[in-house]
Amino acid sequence: MLKAAIIGASGYTGAELAGLIHGHPHLTLAGLYVSNGSQDAHKPFTSLHPRWRGIIDLPLLPLDDEAISRIHTEADLVLLATAHEVSHDLAPGFLAKGLPVFDLSGAFRVPGEGFYDQFYGFHHQYGDWLAKAAYGLAEWNQEAIKAAQLIAVPGCYPTASLSALKPLQQAGLVAEGARPIISAVSGVSGAGRKASMNNSFCEVSLKPYGVFNHRHQPEISYHLGKQVVFQPHLGNFIRGILATVYVQLKDGVSDQQIAAAYHQAYDGQKIVRLAGQWPQINDVAGTPFCDLHWGRDGNQLIVVSAIDNLLKGAASQAIQCINIHQGFSPVAGLIKE
């Protein structure tokens, strides 16, 4: 059993990670940690996440110097479910000790001069690790994930969007010069656990945000190898993402070529499901799956992708990455085989 330390265990994603690791056949929890000054330090994990009462009876420990030393010596791998700047600062220390790090923040996802200054509001100090990090889109980057010490788990919107678009781009079916358009809606849990006016029950309404400046647009474009238009929306539901993707096809592309592109990409992949009908969030909420379906009118293709933002969009994809990295079944701890 490999011992996994979770830093940022008080949040929604950290809690999902704790539950998945607890039920994993090859992993065990090496500690649940929060920032040293957190008001949640020393609280029982289940006081914040009562659904795990009687199952994960561990305290939330402050990440002080003693805790960091303990992780260095006792953990086999580290999961960072922390803010981008925090992951940026913490990851290199664990990596220097030889520990594999699975970072669920955006701190190591996109190399490029000035990218983090523009889209994340801080200057990246670790270009060497940024260059060496594997992008953890599990169905597409298995070899890189196996080989890397640092795995940057993709964002939730990029996971839904790239899962829909990469088969088409890989098969060369997208019209030259055309920019795919992604209109996606996320549940409120995507904003995190901290209370704010924007995620208050009485204030939440279906609305666009991050118009032309959302940080996931360049992440999607970089890892697709093609510029996209991306518009996210906040939905008045708890969890899940539904992405509707509009793609202009090259002239002469057949229905068979489209189907072949998706089947070649995902046949045998148990997490991404070619649904055969238009996906909805209720089909995937609380599961590790990504459901896809498409339809066309002439050269216009519409692809719909549905995921759980906290699972396939974060925690369960991190578990996929651990499984791939360690040589376990890719779905260990996620699907009963």
Side-chain angles (χ1 to χ4, degrees):
M1 299 287 279
L2 295 178
K3 298 177 181 177
I6 301 173
I7 301 174
S10 60
Y12 293 135
T13 296
E16 294 291 348
L17 284 170
L20 290 171
I21 289 169
H22 175 79
H24 197 285
H26 307 299
L27 301 175
T28 188
L29 288 166
L32 303 176
Y33 295 92
V34 293
S35 61
N36 195 22
S38 172
Q39 63 182 5
D40 296 322
H42 301 293
K43 290 181 181 178
F45 172 72
T46 54
S47 70
L48 274 64
H49 303 285
R51 72 182 173 118
W52 298 109
R53 189 178 294 124
I55 302 170
I56 304 175
D57 291 319
L58 293 172
L60 293 167
L61 302 172
L63 192 69
D64 52 21
D65 291 342
E66 180 184 347
I68 291 173
S69 296
R70 187 165 57 249
I71 293 169
H72 287 166
T73 57
E74 296 181 6
D76 296 305
L77 58 92
V78 177
L79 293 124
L80 299 177
T82 44
H84 314 293
E85 299 92 331
V86 175
S87 287
H88 168 272
D89 294 343
L90 286 177
F94 295 120
L95 293 163
K97 294 293 183 179
L99 288 166
V101 173
F102 299 82
D103 178 28
L104 287 89
S105 84
F108 294 94
R109 290 178 188 157
V110 183
E113 187 67 31
F115 173 80
Y116 284 89
D117 302 83
Q118 179 179 355
F119 289 99
Y120 284 86
F122 68 90
H123 184 69
H124 209 290
Q125 303 288 333
Y126 301 103
D128 53 342
W129 282 115
L130 188 58
K132 289 188 282 189
Y135 190 65
L137 192 62
E139 285 72 28
W140 289 91
N141 287 342
Q142 289 97 331
E143 293 307 315
I145 292 166
K146 284 179 186 176
Q149 187 186 355
L150 172 60
I151 290 85
V153 180
C156 50
Y157 285 124
T159 295
S161 302
L162 290 167
S163 296
L165 282 167
K166 282 185 76 72
L168 302 170
Q169 179 72 359
Q170 184 113 331
L173 304 183
V174 182
E176 298 294 335
R179 297 177 70 180
I181 299 170
I182 304 157
S183 177
V185 187
S186 175
V188 185
S189 58
R193 193 167 182 274
K194 186 178 291 187
S196 73
M197 185 66 74
N198 286 336
N199 60 19
S200 170
F201 178 83
C202 292
E203 299 294 330
V204 171
S205 177
L206 180 61
K207 65 178 182 180
Y209 67 99
V211 179
F212 288 124
N213 62 12
H214 196 283
R215 57 181 57 137
H216 283 170
Q217 186 276 335
E219 180 180 337
I220 296 166
S221 296
Y222 179 83
H223 290 286
L224 182 63
K226 189 177 188 68
Q227 286 295 314
V228 302
V229 177
F230 170 65
Q231 182 53 56
H233 301 77
L234 176 67
N236 55 348
F237 51 93
I238 294 172
R239 58 195 299 163
I241 285 176
L242 191 77
T244 303
V245 184
Y246 304 86
V247 182
Q248 189 72 21
L249 298 169
K250 289 180 177 177
D251 290 339
V253 171
S254 68
D255 291 350
Q256 291 76 17
Q257 286 176 289
I258 298 167
Y262 282 102
H263 283 285
Q264 183 174 347
Y266 297 126
D267 280 357
Q269 302 278 2
K270 296 183 179 180
I271 297 297
V272 178
R273 306 186 297 192
L274 305 182
Q277 61 187 39
W278 294 112
Q280 58 183 359
I281 284 172
N282 283 351
D283 297 339
V284 295
T287 82
F289 298 114
C290 170
D291 281 4
L292 298 174
H293 189 57
W294 61 90
R296 71 179 300 180
D297 182 6
N299 283 353
Q300 182 67 62
L301 183 75
I302 293 177
V303 189
V304 175
S305 176
I307 65 170
D308 186 309
N309 57 300
L310 299 177
L311 289 172
K312 181 57 174 167
S316 70
Q317 183 147 244
I319 299 299
Q320 284 183 269
C321 290
I322 293 172
N323 289 339
I324 293 165
H325 187 267
Q326 297 296 330
F328 306 145
S329 163
V331 298
L334 301 174
I335 301 173
K336 289 184 178 180
E337 295 185 277

